[in-house]
Amino acid sequence: MRRSTLALAAIAALALPAAAQQAAAPAQAIIDKFAVLVPQRVIEQSGHCRKLFSGLELERKQWQDKLEAKSVEGQQLQKQLQATGLSDEGKEKLQKQLRDLQYDFNKMQEDAKADMEKAQQKAGAQFNQDVAPTLEEIVKEKGLQAVIQYNPGLFAYLDESAALSFSDEVAKRVDAKFPADAGFGATAKPATKPAAKPAGKK
């Protein structure tokens, strides 16, 4: 019985320093002042940001037209190949043309993907560079501890009006710094709203 008592006393003595350290350690700060930024909303509401991304749609359309032209060309060759009365030599020639066309089509798809990714990254980098100073100003003014970028599925619950209001304020201030672009693309698509719902609801 004496051994058990001594053992418990020893354990308690070892635990005391750790408990004292925890009690002495300062409480960790809790992030309770933050805002949610919806990048797509900023792009839609800011003329300057719309201008940054305006070339993407044009470039996407150009690649799409080229790919559709190749596809039509392939359909025409396929019809010729299915026509009756073709000699073996004629069929072989058309089949080779189809193989070459398929290769060109696949290569064009790869080039389009790489080109669009590069253009997207360039526009995104410029967006971040131009918006960052405005964000810093608003963060300091409002005493925020963090700004969280909205992504679908990130929040169990989100006050959409607050997120959109904050994003609109960012867009407005960005345009104030780039007044020449403020009215660019004024007929942009309707503003996007983040689709966040409370967890467990459908």
Side-chain angles (χ1 to χ4, degrees), residues 61-71 105 108:
K61 181 66 168 58
Q62 291 173 343
W63 278 115
Q64 183 178 351
D65 291 344
K66 291 179 181 179
L67 288 167
E68 287 180 356
K70 281 288 182 184
S71 179
F105 184 84
M108 187 178 291

Side-chain angles (χ1 to χ4, degrees), residues 20 29 72 108 115 119 136 163 165 168 173 180 200:
V72 170
M108 187 178 291
D115 195 48
E136 291 178 6
S165 177
D168 287 348
R173 293 204 191 187

Side-chain angles (χ1 to χ4, degrees), residues 130-187:
D130 292 351
V131 172
T134 297
L135 269 180
E136 291 178 6
E137 291 175 3
I138 298 176
V139 164
K140 291 178 181 178
E141 289 178 13
K142 296 182 179 294
L144 301 175
Q145 295 165 291
V147 175
I148 302 172
Q149 180 170 302
Y150 172 80
N151 281 303
L154 177 63
F155 298 93
Y157 175 80
L158 174 65
D159 184 343
E160 294 183 2
S161 62
L164 295 178
S165 177
F166 180 79
S167 302
D168 287 348
E169 182 175 356
V170 173
K172 182 179 179 180
R173 293 204 191 187
V174 168
D175 278 357
K177 293 184 177 181
F178 300 91
D181 299 336
F184 183 87
T187 57

Side-chain angles (χ1 to χ4, degrees), residues 14-133:
L14 289 172
L16 282 175
Q21 289 178 2
Q22 291 178 358
Q28 294 184 351
I30 298 175
I31 296 179
D32 58 1
K33 294 192 68 177
F34 63 91
V36 177
L37 179 72
V38 186
Q40 185 60 33
R41 175 77 173 199
V42 177
I43 294 170
E44 291 170 352
Q45 297 300 305
S46 164
H48 175 69
C49 295
R50 285 197 297 269
K51 186 176 181 180
L52 292 178
F53 289 88
S54 63
L56 288 176
E57 190 60 35
L58 177 60
E59 196 166 348
R60 184 179 294 108
K61 181 66 168 58
Q62 291 173 343
W63 278 115
Q64 183 178 351
D65 291 344
K66 291 179 181 179
L67 288 167
E68 287 180 356
K70 281 288 182 184
S71 179
V72 170
E73 186 179 348
Q75 292 172 8
Q76 292 173 346
L77 286 175
Q78 190 66 42
K79 287 181 180 179
Q80 294 177 31
L81 186 61
Q82 294 173 351
T84 58
L86 277 177
S87 64
D88 291 341
E89 184 180 354
K91 288 181 179 179
E92 185 177 346
K93 183 179 180 179
L94 287 173
Q95 288 171 347
K96 183 180 183 305
Q97 289 178 339
L98 273 172
R99 288 194 299 270
D100 292 343
L101 185 65
Q102 184 64 51
Y103 175 84
D104 292 342
F105 184 84
N106 292 340
K107 181 66 168 58
M108 187 178 291
Q109 280 185 317
E110 294 174 0
D111 291 344
K113 181 180 178 181
D115 195 48
M116 290 305 303
E117 287 179 351
K118 183 178 179 180
Q120 181 73 41
Q121 290 173 359
K122 182 178 179 180
Q126 190 64 51
F127 172 84
N128 292 334
Q129 179 179 318
D130 292 351
V131 172

